[in-house]
Amino acid sequence: MDILTEIKVPIQEEIKNFDESFREALLSDNELINKAVDHFLQKKGKNLRPILVLLAAKCATGSVNQKSFDSAIALELFHNATLLHDDVLDETNMRRGLETINSKFNSKLAVLLGDYFLSIALQKAVTTDNIYIVKSLSEFAATSVDGEIQQMFTAQSANFSEENYYKIIYKKTASLFETCFRVGALSVDSSEERIEKLEKFAYYLGLIFQIRDDIFDYFKSDEVGKPTGNDIREGKVTLPLIYALNTSVNGVGEKMLNIIREKDFTPENIQLLINFAVENQGIEYAEKKMEEFKVKALECLEEFTDTAEKESLKTVLNYTIQRNK
């Protein structure tokens, strides 16, 4: 049994229901929309966000309901909408080994399909008839856009710090994980105390997820789904490189900073920056921070009863650190 299958054991039936409901939610009488959706869903992700919503609901109260499914669908659609828009902004041609919508069709359709996903997400959020779920989803949407803009500004200003990095990845990624847990618990009327514990677990999980994702940028792998050095090419300086820049000696860091400031991202300079981060223990430092956050995340689950759902959340944590794509 692979690790993702193991994680889904307590919610096998619920995930089946989610998959059917998700596809159903996107059905349209517009054949071009259906054609684009079918292409986009050929290589679906791991369903991590719906898994987290459903596990949070079951961990909180032992059950899920229709509000849980609608919340999971809304969040997955929000996330996929951002992917569609990001691919246009970044002029990405491939995602998960499949042509992007902007590459196979065109950028206009990709943007409009993203808007379509957002519209259906809003419909599903309203269907929960829970103002707190709607509020959580809308706050997440604003926060994630804020994070993208802040990252863009940081890349332009070349003012890098570890503190700023964590602020950005919270807004871009950890806030999504927090929202998954919050709406999952809200959907089954969990207590606020339990919601806060689950949110804190999600916060650390989200930081770990993004740090691991950022580490991928420093190694060649056909499985990851993005070219090596892609973040650097876009001016995004992530934790391994930040650590190397802040701890290097003999003026080497200043030389690297000049490349970033001048946006002189030739293939040779990108490789130079990657080597600099690796040789100055940037990867080891990032891995150490993930382990620190893992310990803090596990502390958040201590007061929950030992159940299959709780065990799955621990497995999610381990999987997030160990994943290779």
Side-chain angles (χ1 to χ4, degrees):
M1 185 187 298
D2 68 77
I3 195 165
L4 267 177
T5 303
E6 183 183 338
I7 288 166
K8 291 187 281 189
V9 166
I11 52 169
Q12 283 179 346
E13 287 306 311
E14 288 86 350
I15 285 295
K16 280 183 189 175
N17 290 339
F18 168 80
D19 284 335
E20 291 170 7
S21 300
F22 186 76
R23 283 188 171 273
E24 205 173 281
L26 290 172
L27 282 176
S28 169
D29 57 7
N30 184 316
E31 284 307 309
L32 182 55
I33 289 177
N34 290 335
K35 187 176 179 182
V37 167
D38 286 344
H39 176 77
F40 184 80
L41 295 181
Q42 274 184 58
K43 278 284 186 80
K44 281 184 64 182
K46 303 174 187 72
N47 268 349
L48 187 56
R49 286 148 297 277
I51 287 170
L52 296 181
V53 172
L54 298 170
L55 281 175
K58 290 196 84 171
C59 195
T61 65
S63 64
V64 301
N65 56 34
Q66 190 57 47
K67 290 181 182 181
S68 310
F69 289 116
D70 289 339
S71 298
I73 292 168
L75 261 173
E76 188 67 358
L77 286 171
F78 267 124
H79 175 68
N80 284 322
T82 64
L83 296 184
L84 286 162
H85 290 162
D86 283 350
D87 287 343
V88 173
L89 290 172
D90 299 338
E91 299 181 354
T92 306
N93 295 321
M94 300 290 290
R95 181 179 288 279
R96 301 167 184 154
L98 190 72
E99 263 192 296
T100 56
I101 296 295
N102 49 294
S103 175
K104 183 170 178 62
F105 298 93
N106 56 59
S107 293
K108 289 181 180 179
L109 181 60
V111 171
L112 291 170
L113 189 65
D115 293 345
Y116 176 69
F117 280 13
L118 287 172
S119 301
I120 304 299
L122 288 171
Q123 289 178 24
K124 286 296 177 182
V126 172
T127 302
T128 66
D129 199 28
N130 184 319
I131 190 62
Y132 298 107
I133 290 176
V134 176
K135 183 173 183 286
S136 296
L137 290 168
S138 60
E139 285 177 348
F140 152 67
T143 298
S144 62
V145 173
D146 182 348
E148 288 289 349
I149 293 171
Q150 188 174 340
Q151 185 171 61
M152 183 172 63
F153 173 77
T154 299
Q156 290 173 349
S157 66
N159 180 20
F160 309 111
S161 72
E162 195 169 329
E163 180 185 5
N164 195 45
Y165 169 76
Y166 290 129
K167 285 180 182 176
I168 290 170
I169 67 170
Y170 165 73
K171 290 178 178 179
K172 279 186 58 186
T173 304
S175 64
L176 171 57
F177 283 76
E178 276 189 351
T179 306
C180 287
F181 279 75
R182 182 164 187 82
V183 301
L186 281 169
S187 72
V188 291
D189 298 320
S190 177
S191 68
E192 188 59 35
E193 184 181 355
R194 288 201 151 202
I195 291 173
E196 286 176 5
K197 288 288 184 184
L198 288 169
E199 271 190 305
K200 200 64 179 173
F201 173 87
Y203 167 75
Y204 292 120
L205 178 65
L207 295 185
I208 291 168
F209 185 94
Q210 189 58 55
I211 292 170
R212 170 55 68 195
D213 210 51
D214 291 341
I215 289 173
F216 291 147
D217 201 51
Y218 297 85
F219 297 98
K220 289 182 180 178
S221 172
D222 294 333
E223 295 183 345
V224 172
K226 66 178 183 180
T228 307
N230 201 49
D231 288 341
I232 295 171
R233 193 175 292 107
E234 294 171 7
K236 299 173 185 175
V237 178
T238 54
L239 188 57
L241 186 50
I242 288 170
Y243 177 77
L245 289 169
N246 290 334
T247 58
S248 65
V249 293
N250 299 328
V252 180
E254 190 60 35
K255 179 183 176 183
M256 299 299 124
L257 266 176
N258 284 336
I259 293 173
I260 298 167
R261 288 188 185 114
E262 293 168 13
K263 297 179 175 54
D264 187 14
F265 299 131
T266 63
E268 295 76 18
N269 280 343
I270 288 172
Q271 193 57 53
L272 196 65
L273 288 164
I274 289 171
N275 293 344
F276 170 71
V278 172
E279 289 164 8
N280 285 274
Q281 287 76 52
I283 306 301
E284 288 87 344
Y285 180 75
E287 289 173 342
K288 176 188 167 191
K289 296 306 292 185
M290 286 195 295
E291 289 296 331
E292 288 177 9
F293 293 143
K294 175 185 172 181
V295 171
K296 292 180 179 180
L298 288 172
E299 289 172 358
C300 300
L301 297 180
E302 286 177 355
E303 70 178 51
F304 287 85
T305 307
D306 290 333
T307 61
E309 291 79 24
K310 178 179 173 180
E311 202 55 40
S312 278
L313 290 180
K314 290 181 179 180
T315 306
V316 168
L317 195 57
N318 289 327
Y319 163 72
T320 303
I321 290 177
Q322 297 163 8
R323 68 193 176 97
N324 56 16
K325 59 180 177 179

